[in-house]
Amino acid sequence: PALCSAWTNDGSGILSGGADGRVMLWDIYRGTWAQVGQHDGPVSAVVASDLPSPCAVSASWDRTVRFWPLSGGSGQALGVLQMPERVYAM
């Protein structure tokens, strides 16, 4: 199940984070889902950011905060912050 969601900054999509560790993007104009990232634990929070470029920022029980590209991404995180404990909210 989805545990969190957020609109993209341009209003064209909805980000979601799930108990399966996936970070997903729903394109409201095309009506399609795309996976933009993957954690090793449930995703507890997700937000959209325009810095350094349009990206999804996700937090997880795997003790990381990750930055995912929203356009033309390779599925690789732009950056990873290691946290001392599980992240429950951002």
Side-chain angles (χ1 to χ4, degrees):
L3 300 177
C4 52
S5 62
W7 283 97
T8 58
N9 290 340
D10 65 4
S12 69
I14 300 171
L15 295 164
S16 69
D20 59 2
R22 294 189 300 167
V23 179
M24 303 293 292
L25 174 64
W26 173 253
D27 185 315
I28 63 171
Y29 298 114
R30 294 185 184 141
T32 57
W33 282 104
Q35 182 172 342
V36 296
Q38 179 72 46
H39 280 271
D40 294 328
V43 178
S44 55
V46 65
V47 297
S49 175
D50 285 331
L51 301 173
S53 61
C55 65
V57 183
S58 58
S60 172
W61 291 9
D62 69 2
R63 298 179 179 187
T64 64
V65 174
R66 298 175 189 254
F67 299 79
W68 309 98
L70 287 181
S71 59
S74 63
Q76 297 295 316
L78 297 170
V80 179
L81 299 174
Q82 295 292 330
M83 307 304 288
E85 295 293 332
R86 290 179 175 177
V87 182
Y88 293 99
M90 280 193 303

